[in-house]
Coordinates of all heavy atoms in Angstrom, one line a residue:
F7 N 3.8 -14.1 9.6 CA 3.0 -12.9 9.7 C 3.7 -11.7 9.3 O 4.8 -11.4 9.7 CB 2.7 -12.7 11.2 CG 1.7 -11.6 11.5 CD1 0.4 -11.6 11.3 CD2 2.3 -10.4 12.1 CE1 -0.4 -10.6 11.5 CE2 1.4 -9.3 12.4 CZ 0.1 -9.4 12.1
N8 N 3.2 -11.0 8.3 CA 3.8 -9.7 7.8 C 3.3 -8.5 8.5 O 2.2 -8.0 8.3 CB 3.6 -9.6 6.3 CG 4.3 -8.5 5.6 OD1 4.7 -7.5 6.3 ND2 4.6 -8.6 4.3
T9 N 4.1 -8.0 9.5 CA 3.6 -6.9 10.3 C 3.4 -5.7 9.5 O 2.4 -5.0 9.7 CB 4.7 -6.6 11.4 OG1 4.8 -7.8 12.2 CG2 4.2 -5.5 12.3
A10 N 4.3 -5.3 8.5 CA 4.2 -4.2 7.7 C 2.9 -4.2 6.9 O 2.2 -3.2 6.8 CB 5.4 -4.0 6.8
A11 N 2.6 -5.3 6.3 CA 1.3 -5.4 5.4 C 0.1 -5.3 6.4 O -0.8 -4.7 6.0 CB 1.4 -6.8 4.7
Y12 N 0.2 -5.8 7.6 CA -0.9 -5.8 8.4 C -1.1 -4.3 8.9 O -2.3 -3.8 8.9 CB -0.6 -6.6 9.7 CG -1.7 -6.6 10.8 CD1 -2.8 -7.4 10.6 CD2 -1.6 -5.7 11.8 CE1 -3.8 -7.3 11.6 CE2 -2.6 -5.7 12.8 CZ -3.7 -6.4 12.8 OH -4.6 -6.4 13.7
I13 N -0.1 -3.5 9.3 CA -0.2 -2.2 9.6 C -0.8 -1.4 8.4 O -1.7 -0.6 8.6 CB 1.1 -1.6 10.1 CG1 1.5 -2.2 11.4 CG2 1.1 -0.1 10.1 CD1 2.9 -1.9 11.9
R14 N -0.2 -1.6 7.3 CA -0.6 -0.9 6.0 C -2.2 -1.2 5.8 O -2.9 -0.1 5.6 CB 0.2 -1.4 4.8 CG -0.2 -0.6 3.5 CD 0.3 -1.3 2.2 NE -0.4 -2.6 2.2 CZ 0.2 -3.8 2.0 NH1 1.5 -3.9 1.8 NH2 -0.5 -5.0 1.9
D15 N -2.6 -2.3 5.8 CA -4.0 -2.7 5.5 C -4.9 -2.0 6.5 O -5.9 -1.4 6.1 CB -4.2 -4.2 5.4 CG -3.5 -4.8 4.2 OD1 -3.0 -4.0 3.3 OD2 -3.4 -6.0 4.1
R16 N -4.6 -2.2 7.8 CA -5.4 -1.7 8.9 C -5.5 -0.2 8.9 O -6.5 0.5 9.1 CB -5.1 -2.2 10.2 CG -5.5 -3.7 10.3 CD -5.2 -4.2 11.7 NE -5.9 -3.6 12.7 CZ -6.9 -4.0 13.5 NH1 -7.4 -5.2 13.2 NH2 -7.5 -3.3 14.4
L17 N -4.3 0.5 8.6 CA -4.2 1.8 8.5 C -4.9 2.5 7.4 O -5.7 3.5 7.6 CB -2.7 2.3 8.5 CG -2.4 3.7 8.3 CD1 -3.0 4.6 9.4 CD2 -0.9 4.0 8.2
C18 N -4.8 2.0 6.2 CA -5.5 2.4 5.1 C -7.0 2.4 5.3 O -7.8 3.2 4.9 CB -5.1 1.8 3.8 SG -3.4 2.3 3.3
A19 N -7.5 1.2 5.9 CA -8.9 1.0 6.0 C -9.4 2.1 7.1 O -10.6 2.7 7.0 CB -9.2 -0.4 6.5
T20 N -8.6 2.3 8.1 CA -9.0 3.3 9.1 C -9.1 4.7 8.6 O -10.1 5.4 8.8 CB -7.9 3.3 10.2 OG1 -7.8 2.0 10.8 CG2 -8.2 4.3 11.3
V21 N -8.1 5.1 7.6 CA -8.2 6.4 7.1 C -9.4 6.5 6.1 O -10.1 7.5 6.2 CB -6.9 6.7 6.3 CG1 -7.0 7.9 5.4 CG2 -5.7 6.8 7.2
K22 N -9.7 5.5 5.5 CA -10.8 5.5 4.5 C -12.2 5.7 5.4 O -13.0 6.5 5.0 CB -11.0 4.2 3.7 CG -10.1 4.1 2.5 CD -10.2 2.8 1.8 CE -11.6 2.6 1.2 NZ -11.6 1.4 0.3
H23 N -12.3 5.0 6.5 CA -13.4 5.1 7.3 C -13.6 6.5 7.8 O -14.6 7.1 7.9 CB -13.3 4.0 8.4 CG -14.5 4.1 9.3 ND1 -15.7 3.7 9.1 CD2 -14.6 4.6 10.6 CE1 -16.6 3.8 10.1 NE2 -15.8 4.4 11.0
C24 N -12.5 7.0 8.4 CA -12.5 8.3 9.0 C -12.9 9.5 8.0 O -13.7 10.4 8.4 CB -11.1 8.7 9.5 SG -10.7 7.9 11.0
L25 N -12.4 9.3 6.8 CA -12.7 10.4 5.8 C -14.0 10.1 5.1 O -14.5 10.9 4.3 CB -11.5 10.5 4.8 CG -10.2 10.9 5.5 CD1 -9.1 10.9 4.4 CD2 -10.3 12.3 6.1
G26 N -14.6 8.9 5.2 CA -15.8 8.6 4.5 C -15.6 8.6 3.0 O -16.5 8.9 2.2
I27 N -14.4 8.2 2.5 CA -14.1 8.2 1.1 C -14.4 6.8 0.4 O -14.3 5.8 1.2 CB -12.7 8.7 0.8 CG1 -11.6 7.9 1.5 CG2 -12.5 10.1 1.0 CD1 -10.2 8.2 1.2
R28 N -14.7 6.8 -0.8 CA -15.0 5.6 -1.4 C -14.1 5.3 -2.6 O -14.3 4.6 -3.5 CB -16.4 5.6 -2.0 CG -17.5 5.7 -1.0 CD -18.8 5.8 -1.5 NE -19.8 6.0 -0.4 CZ -21.0 5.5 -0.3 NH1 -21.3 4.7 -1.3 NH2 -21.7 5.7 0.6
V29 N -12.9 5.8 -2.5 CA -11.9 5.4 -3.5 C -11.5 4.0 -3.3 O -11.7 3.4 -2.3 CB -10.6 6.3 -3.3 CG1 -10.9 7.8 -3.7 CG2 -10.0 6.2 -2.0
S30 N -11.1 3.4 -4.5 CA -10.8 1.9 -4.3 C -9.7 1.6 -3.4 O -9.7 0.6 -2.8 CB -10.5 1.5 -5.8 OG -9.5 2.0 -6.4
E31 N -8.7 2.6 -3.3 CA -7.6 2.3 -2.5 C -6.9 3.5 -1.9 O -6.8 4.5 -2.6 CB -6.6 1.5 -3.4 CG -5.5 0.9 -2.6 CD -4.6 0.1 -3.5 OE1 -5.0 -0.4 -4.5 OE2 -3.3 -0.1 -3.1
V32 N -6.7 3.5 -0.7 CA -5.8 4.5 0.0 C -4.5 3.9 0.1 O -4.3 2.8 0.5 CB -6.4 4.9 1.4 CG1 -5.4 5.8 2.0 CG2 -7.7 5.6 1.2
K33 N -3.4 4.6 -0.5 CA -2.1 4.1 -0.5 C -1.2 4.8 0.5 O -1.5 6.0 0.9 CB -1.5 4.3 -1.9 CG -2.3 3.5 -2.9 CD -1.7 3.7 -4.3 CE -2.6 2.9 -5.3 NZ -2.1 3.1 -6.7
L34 N -0.1 4.1 0.9 CA 0.9 4.7 1.7 C 1.4 6.1 1.3 O 1.7 6.9 2.1 CB 2.0 3.8 2.0 CG 1.7 2.5 2.9 CD1 2.9 1.7 3.1 CD2 1.2 2.9 4.2
G35 N 1.5 6.2 0.0 CA 2.1 7.5 -0.6 C 1.1 8.6 -0.6 O 1.6 9.7 -0.9
H36 N -0.1 8.3 -0.3 CA -1.1 9.5 -0.3 C -0.7 10.5 0.8 O -0.5 10.1 2.0 CB -2.4 9.0 -0.1 CG -3.1 8.4 -1.4 ND1 -3.8 7.3 -1.4 CD2 -3.0 8.9 -2.7 CE1 -4.3 7.1 -2.6 NE2 -3.7 8.0 -3.4
R37 N -0.7 11.8 0.4 CA -0.5 12.9 1.4 C -1.9 13.3 1.9 O -2.9 13.3 1.2 CB 0.2 14.0 0.7 CG 1.5 13.6 0.2 CD 2.1 14.6 -0.6 NE 1.2 14.6 -1.8 CZ 1.3 15.6 -2.8 NH1 2.2 16.5 -2.8 NH2 0.5 15.5 -3.8
L38 N -1.9 13.4 3.3 CA -3.3 13.7 3.9 C -3.9 15.0 3.3 O -5.1 14.9 3.0 CB -3.0 13.8 5.4 CG -2.6 12.5 6.0 CD1 -2.1 12.7 7.4 CD2 -3.7 11.4 6.0
I39 N -3.3 16.1 3.3 CA -3.8 17.3 2.8 C -4.0 17.4 1.3 O -5.0 17.6 0.7 CB -3.1 18.5 3.3 CG1 -3.2 18.5 4.9 CG2 -3.6 19.8 2.8 CD1 -2.3 19.6 5.6
E40 N -2.9 17.2 0.6 CA -2.8 17.4 -0.8 C -3.6 16.4 -1.6 O -4.4 16.7 -2.6 CB -1.4 17.3 -1.4 CG -0.6 18.5 -0.9 CD 0.1 18.3 0.5 OE1 -0.2 17.3 1.2 OE2 0.9 19.1 0.9
D41 N -3.5 15.1 -1.2 CA -4.2 14.0 -2.0 C -5.6 13.6 -1.4 O -6.5 13.3 -2.2 CB -3.3 12.8 -2.0 CG -2.0 13.0 -2.6 OD1 -1.9 13.8 -3.6 OD2 -1.0 12.4 -2.2
L42 N -5.7 13.5 -0.1 CA -6.9 13.1 0.6 C -7.8 14.3 1.1 O -8.9 14.1 1.6 CB -6.6 12.1 1.6 CG -5.9 10.9 1.1 CD1 -5.5 10.0 2.3 CD2 -6.7 10.2 0.2
H43 N -7.3 15.5 0.9 CA -8.0 16.7 1.3 C -8.5 16.8 2.7 O -9.7 17.2 3.0 CB -9.2 17.0 0.4 CG -8.8 16.8 -1.1 ND1 -8.1 17.8 -1.7 CD2 -9.1 15.9 -2.0 CE1 -7.8 17.4 -3.0 NE2 -8.5 16.3 -3.2
C44 N -7.6 16.4 3.7 CA -7.9 16.4 5.1 C -7.8 17.8 5.5 O -6.9 18.6 5.2 CB -6.9 15.6 5.9 SG -7.0 13.8 5.6
D45 N -8.7 18.1 6.5 CA -8.6 19.3 7.3 C -8.1 19.0 8.7 O -7.9 17.8 9.0 CB -9.9 20.1 7.3 CG -11.1 19.3 7.9 OD1 -10.8 18.4 8.7 OD2 -12.2 19.8 7.7
S46 N -8.0 19.9 9.6 CA -7.4 19.7 10.9 C -8.3 18.7 11.7 O -7.8 17.9 12.5 CB -7.2 21.0 11.6 OG -8.5 21.7 11.7
I47 N -9.6 18.9 11.5 CA -10.5 18.0 12.2 C -10.3 16.5 11.8 O -10.3 15.6 12.5 CB -12.0 18.4 12.2 CG1 -12.2 19.7 12.9 CG2 -12.9 17.4 12.7 CD1 -13.5 20.5 12.7
D48 N -10.2 16.4 10.4 CA -9.9 15.0 9.9 C -8.7 14.4 10.5 O -8.7 13.2 10.8 CB -9.8 15.0 8.4 CG -11.1 15.5 7.7 OD1 -12.2 15.1 8.1 OD2 -11.0 16.0 6.6
H49 N -7.7 15.3 10.5 CA -6.4 14.8 11.0 C -6.5 14.3 12.5 O -5.9 13.3 12.8 CB -5.4 16.0 10.9 CG -4.0 15.5 10.7 ND1 -3.0 15.5 11.6 CD2 -3.4 15.0 9.6 CE1 -1.9 15.0 11.1 NE2 -2.1 14.7 9.9
V50 N -7.2 15.1 13.3 CA -7.5 14.6 14.7 C -8.2 13.3 14.8 O -7.8 12.4 15.6 CB -8.1 15.8 15.5 CG1 -8.6 15.3 16.9 CG2 -7.3 17.0 15.7
E51 N -9.2 13.2 13.9 CA -10.1 12.0 13.9 C -9.2 10.8 13.5 O -9.3 9.7 14.1 CB -11.3 12.1 13.0 CG -12.3 13.0 13.6 CD -13.5 13.3 12.7 OE1 -13.5 12.7 11.5 OE2 -14.4 14.1 13.0
I52 N -8.3 11.0 12.5 CA -7.5 9.9 12.1 C -6.6 9.5 13.2 O -6.4 8.2 13.5 CB -6.7 10.3 10.8 CG1 -7.6 10.4 9.6 CG2 -5.5 9.3 10.6 CD1 -7.0 11.0 8.4
A53 N -5.9 10.4 13.9 CA -5.0 10.1 15.0 C -5.7 9.3 16.1 O -5.3 8.4 16.6 CB -4.4 11.4 15.6
M54 N -7.0 9.8 16.4 CA -7.7 9.1 17.5 C -8.1 7.7 17.1 O -8.1 6.8 17.9 CB -9.0 9.9 17.8 CG -8.7 11.3 18.6 SD -10.0 12.4 18.9 CE -11.4 11.4 19.1
A55 N -8.5 7.6 15.8 CA -8.8 6.2 15.3 C -7.6 5.3 15.4 O -7.8 4.1 15.6 CB -9.4 6.4 13.9
I56 N -6.5 5.8 15.0 CA -5.3 5.0 15.0 C -5.0 4.6 16.4 O -4.6 3.4 16.6 CB -4.1 5.8 14.4 CG1 -4.3 5.9 12.8 CG2 -2.8 5.2 14.7 CD1 -3.3 6.9 12.2
E57 N -5.1 5.5 17.4 CA -5.0 5.1 18.7 C -5.9 4.0 19.1 O -5.4 3.0 19.7 CB -5.2 6.3 19.7 CG -4.1 7.3 19.6 CD -4.5 8.5 20.5 OE1 -5.6 8.8 20.8 OE2 -3.5 9.2 20.9
D58 N -7.1 4.0 18.8 CA -8.0 3.0 19.1 C -7.7 1.7 18.4 O -7.8 0.6 19.0 CB -9.5 3.4 18.8 CG -10.0 4.5 19.7 OD1 -9.5 4.6 20.7 OD2 -11.0 5.1 19.3
R59 N -7.5 1.8 17.1 CA -7.2 0.6 16.3 C -5.9 -0.2 16.6 O -6.0 -1.5 16.6 CB -7.3 1.0 14.8 CG -6.9 0.0 13.8 CD -8.0 -1.1 13.5 NE -9.3 -0.7 13.2 CZ -9.8 -0.8 11.9 NH1 -9.1 -1.2 11.0 NH2 -11.0 -0.4 11.7
F60 N -4.9 0.6 17.0 CA -3.6 -0.1 17.2 C -3.2 -0.1 18.7 O -2.2 -0.6 19.0 CB -2.6 0.6 16.4 CG -2.7 0.4 14.9 CD1 -3.3 1.3 14.1 CD2 -2.2 -0.8 14.3 CE1 -3.5 1.1 12.7 CE2 -2.4 -1.0 12.9 CZ -3.0 -0.1 12.1
G61 N -4.0 0.5 19.6 CA -3.7 0.4 21.0 C -2.5 1.3 21.4 O -1.7 0.8 22.3
I62 N -2.2 2.4 20.7 CA -1.1 3.2 20.9 C -1.5 4.6 21.3 O -2.7 4.9 21.1 CB -0.1 3.2 19.7 CG1 -0.8 3.9 18.5 CG2 0.4 1.9 19.4 CD1 0.0 4.1 17.3
V63 N -0.7 5.4 21.7 CA -0.9 6.9 21.9 C -0.2 7.7 20.9 O 1.0 7.5 20.7 CB -0.5 7.3 23.4 CG1 -0.6 8.7 23.6 CG2 -1.2 6.5 24.4
V64 N -0.8 8.5 20.2 CA -0.3 9.5 19.3 C -0.4 10.8 19.8 O -1.4 11.4 20.0 CB -1.1 9.3 17.9 CG1 -0.4 10.4 16.9 CG2 -1.0 8.0 17.3
T65 N 0.7 11.5 20.1 CA 0.7 12.8 20.6 C 0.4 13.8 19.5 O 0.5 13.5 18.4 CB 2.1 13.2 21.2 OG1 3.1 13.2 20.2 CG2 2.5 12.2 22.3
D66 N 0.0 15.0 20.0 CA -0.2 16.0 19.0 C 1.0 16.4 18.1 O 0.9 16.6 16.9 CB -0.6 17.4 19.7 CG -2.1 17.2 20.3 OD1 -2.8 16.3 20.0 OD2 -2.4 18.0 21.3
D67 N 2.1 16.3 18.7 CA 3.4 16.6 18.0 C 3.6 15.6 16.9 O 4.0 15.8 15.8 CB 4.5 16.8 18.9 CG 4.6 18.0 19.7 OD1 3.8 19.0 19.3 OD2 5.2 18.1 20.8
E68 N 3.4 14.3 17.3 CA 3.6 13.2 16.4 C 2.7 13.3 15.2 O 3.0 13.1 14.0 CB 3.5 11.9 17.1 CG 4.6 11.6 18.1 CD 4.3 10.4 19.0 OE1 3.1 10.1 19.2 OE2 5.3 9.8 19.4
A69 N 1.4 13.5 15.5 CA 0.4 13.6 14.5 C 0.7 14.8 13.5 O 0.5 14.7 12.3 CB -1.0 13.8 15.0
A70 N 1.2 15.9 14.2 CA 1.5 17.1 13.2 C 2.7 16.7 12.3 O 2.8 17.3 11.2 CB 1.9 18.2 14.1
R71 N 3.6 15.8 12.7 CA 4.6 15.4 11.8 C 4.2 14.4 10.7 O 5.1 14.2 9.8 CB 5.9 14.8 12.6 CG 6.5 15.9 13.5 CD 7.9 15.4 14.0 NE 7.6 14.2 14.9 CZ 7.5 14.4 16.2 NH1 7.5 15.5 16.9 NH2 7.3 13.2 16.9
C72 N 3.0 13.9 10.8 CA 2.6 12.9 9.8 C 1.8 13.7 8.7 O 0.6 14.0 8.9 CB 1.7 11.9 10.5 SG 2.5 10.9 11.7
S73 N 2.4 13.8 7.5 CA 1.8 14.5 6.5 C 1.3 13.5 5.4 O 0.6 13.9 4.5 CB 2.8 15.4 5.8 OG 3.9 14.9 5.3
A74 N 1.8 12.2 5.5 CA 1.3 11.2 4.6 C 0.9 10.0 5.3 O 1.3 9.6 6.5 CB 2.5 10.9 3.6
I75 N 0.2 9.0 4.7 CA -0.1 7.8 5.3 C 1.1 7.0 5.7 O 1.1 6.4 6.8 CB -1.0 7.0 4.3 CG1 -2.3 7.7 3.8 CG2 -1.4 5.6 4.9 CD1 -3.2 8.1 4.9
A76 N 2.1 7.1 4.9 CA 3.4 6.4 5.2 C 4.0 6.9 6.6 O 4.6 6.1 7.3 CB 4.4 6.5 4.1
D77 N 3.9 8.1 6.8 CA 4.4 8.6 8.1 C 3.7 8.0 9.3 O 4.2 7.6 10.2 CB 4.2 10.1 8.1 CG 5.0 10.9 7.1 OD1 6.1 10.4 6.7 OD2 4.5 12.0 6.6
Y78 N 2.4 7.8 9.1 CA 1.6 7.2 10.2 C 2.0 5.7 10.4 O 2.2 5.1 11.4 CB 0.1 7.3 10.1 CG -0.5 8.5 10.7 CD1 -1.2 9.5 10.0 CD2 -0.4 8.6 12.1 CE1 -1.7 10.6 10.6 CE2 -1.0 9.7 12.7 CZ -1.6 10.7 11.9 OH -2.1 11.8 12.6
A79 N 2.3 5.0 9.3 CA 2.7 3.6 9.2 C 3.9 3.5 10.0 O 4.1 2.6 10.8 CB 2.7 3.2 7.8
D80 N 4.9 4.4 9.7 CA 6.2 4.3 10.3 C 6.1 4.6 11.8 O 6.7 3.9 12.7 CB 7.2 5.4 9.7 CG 7.6 5.1 8.3 OD1 7.4 3.9 7.9 OD2 8.0 5.9 7.6
L81 N 5.2 5.5 12.1 CA 5.0 5.8 13.6 C 4.4 4.6 14.3 O 4.8 4.3 15.4 CB 4.1 7.1 13.7 CG 3.6 7.4 15.2 CD1 4.9 8.0 15.9 CD2 2.5 8.5 15.1
I82 N 3.3 4.0 13.7 CA 2.7 2.9 14.3 C 3.7 1.8 14.5 O 3.8 1.1 15.5 CB 1.5 2.4 13.5 CG1 0.4 3.5 13.5 CG2 1.0 1.1 13.9 CD1 -0.6 3.3 12.3
S83 N 4.5 1.5 13.5 CA 5.4 0.4 13.5 C 6.5 0.6 14.7 O 6.7 -0.3 15.4 CB 6.2 0.3 12.2 OG 7.1 -0.7 12.2
D84 N 7.0 1.9 14.8 CA 7.9 2.2 15.8 C 7.4 2.0 17.2 O 8.1 1.5 18.1 CB 8.5 3.7 15.6 CG 9.4 3.8 14.3 OD1 9.8 2.8 13.8 OD2 9.6 5.0 14.0
K85 N 6.2 2.5 17.4 CA 5.6 2.4 18.7 C 5.2 0.9 19.0 O 5.4 0.5 20.2 CB 4.2 3.2 18.7 CG 4.6 4.7 18.8 CD 3.3 5.5 19.0 CE 3.6 6.9 19.3 NZ 3.9 7.3 20.7
L86 N 4.8 0.1 18.0 CA 4.5 -1.3 18.3 C 5.9 -2.0 18.7 O 5.8 -2.9 19.6 CB 3.8 -2.0 17.2 CG 2.3 -1.4 17.0 CD1 1.8 -2.1 15.8 CD2 1.5 -1.6 18.2
K87 N 6.9 -1.8 17.9 CA 8.2 -2.4 18.2 C 8.7 -2.0 19.6 O 9.3 -2.8 20.3 CB 9.2 -2.0 17.1 CG 8.9 -2.8 15.8 CD 9.9 -2.3 14.7 CE 9.6 -2.9 13.4 NZ 10.4 -2.4 12.3
A88 N 8.5 -0.8 20.0 CA 9.0 -0.2 21.3 C 8.2 -1.0 22.4 O 8.8 -1.3 23.4 CB 8.9 1.2 21.4
A89 N 6.9 -1.2 22.1 CA 6.0 -1.8 23.2 C 6.1 -3.3 23.2 O 6.1 -3.8 24.4 CB 4.6 -1.4 22.9
F90 N 6.5 -3.9 22.1 CA 6.6 -5.4 22.0 C 7.7 -5.8 21.2 O 7.7 -6.4 20.2 CB 5.3 -6.0 21.4 CG 4.1 -5.6 22.2 CD1 3.2 -4.5 21.9 CD2 3.7 -6.4 23.3 CE1 2.1 -4.2 22.6 CE2 2.5 -6.1 24.0 CZ 1.8 -5.0 23.7
P91 N 9.0 -5.5 21.8 CA 10.1 -5.8 20.9 C 10.4 -7.2 20.7 O 10.8 -7.6 19.5 CB 11.3 -5.2 21.8 CG 10.8 -5.2 23.2 CD 9.3 -5.0 23.0
A92 N 10.0 -8.1 21.5 CA 10.3 -9.6 21.3 C 9.4 -10.1 20.2 O 9.6 -11.0 19.5 CB 10.1 -10.3 22.6
A93 N 8.2 -9.5 20.1 CA 7.2 -9.9 19.0 C 7.3 -9.2 17.7 O 6.5 -9.3 16.8 CB 5.8 -9.8 19.7
G94 N 8.3 -8.3 17.6 CA 8.5 -7.5 16.4 C 7.4 -6.5 16.3 O 7.1 -6.0 15.2
G95 N 6.7 -6.1 17.3 CA 5.7 -5.2 17.3 C 4.4 -5.7 16.9 O 3.3 -4.9 16.8
A96 N 4.2 -7.0 16.7 CA 2.9 -7.5 16.2 C 1.9 -7.9 17.4 O 0.8 -8.0 17.0 CB 3.2 -8.7 15.4
A97 N 2.4 -8.0 18.6 CA 1.5 -8.5 19.7 C 0.3 -7.7 19.9 O -0.8 -8.3 20.0 CB 2.3 -8.7 20.9
C98 N 0.4 -6.4 20.0 CA -0.8 -5.6 20.4 C -1.7 -5.2 19.1 O -2.8 -4.9 19.3 CB -0.5 -4.4 21.2 SG 0.1 -3.0 20.3
A99 N -1.1 -5.4 18.0 CA -1.9 -5.1 16.8 C -2.7 -6.2 16.3 O -3.7 -6.2 15.6 CB -0.9 -4.7 15.7
A100 N -2.4 -7.4 16.8 CA -3.0 -8.6 16.3 C -4.5 -8.8 16.9 O -4.9 -8.2 17.8 CB -2.3 -9.9 16.7

């Protein structure tokens, strides 16, 4: 089981859904404001959707530090590893 790929795929699908975009692919390197044209409401919706999708809590400060999709991927990975260290962070995301 590749946890990083799982997080990436679910995260990118979540962002696409939140933004209602039809680009073929949302990538980890995409920046939320510059590349995906997110506004503050979009950013809040993404953070809330991530909480629902991955079963984690994203604080306002954490969301504010996430300027790219990769930042959210790192945050998700860190939170899952902290919650489920023996499973490598995969247990609650599965």
Side-chain angles (χ1 to χ4, degrees):
F7 182 76
N8 186 334
T9 304
Y12 178 82
I13 290 171
R14 179 196 66 227
D15 293 346
R16 287 183 60 111
L17 174 59
C18 290
T20 300
V21 171
K22 281 178 66 171
H23 177 76
C24 286
L25 298 179
I27 55 178
R28 296 180 186 220
V29 296
S30 59
E31 191 173 334
V32 171
K33 298 180 183 178
L34 289 180
H36 281 140
R37 297 167 298 173
L38 294 168
I39 295 172
E40 296 86 349
D41 299 326
L42 300 175
H43 311 290
C44 290
D45 60 22
S46 59
I47 293 172
D48 293 329
H49 211 255
V50 169
E51 288 178 5
I52 290 169
M54 289 173 34
I56 287 170
E57 289 180 332
D58 290 342
R59 176 70 58 106
F60 292 95
I62 62 173
V63 174
V64 178
T65 67
D66 292 341
D67 290 340
E68 290 168 334
R71 289 191 300 268
C72 293
S73 61
I75 303 296
D77 297 330
Y78 270 118
D80 292 342
L81 177 67
I82 294 165
S83 178
D84 291 346
K85 285 185 173 273
L86 292 178
K87 285 177 185 173
F90 299 95
C98 77

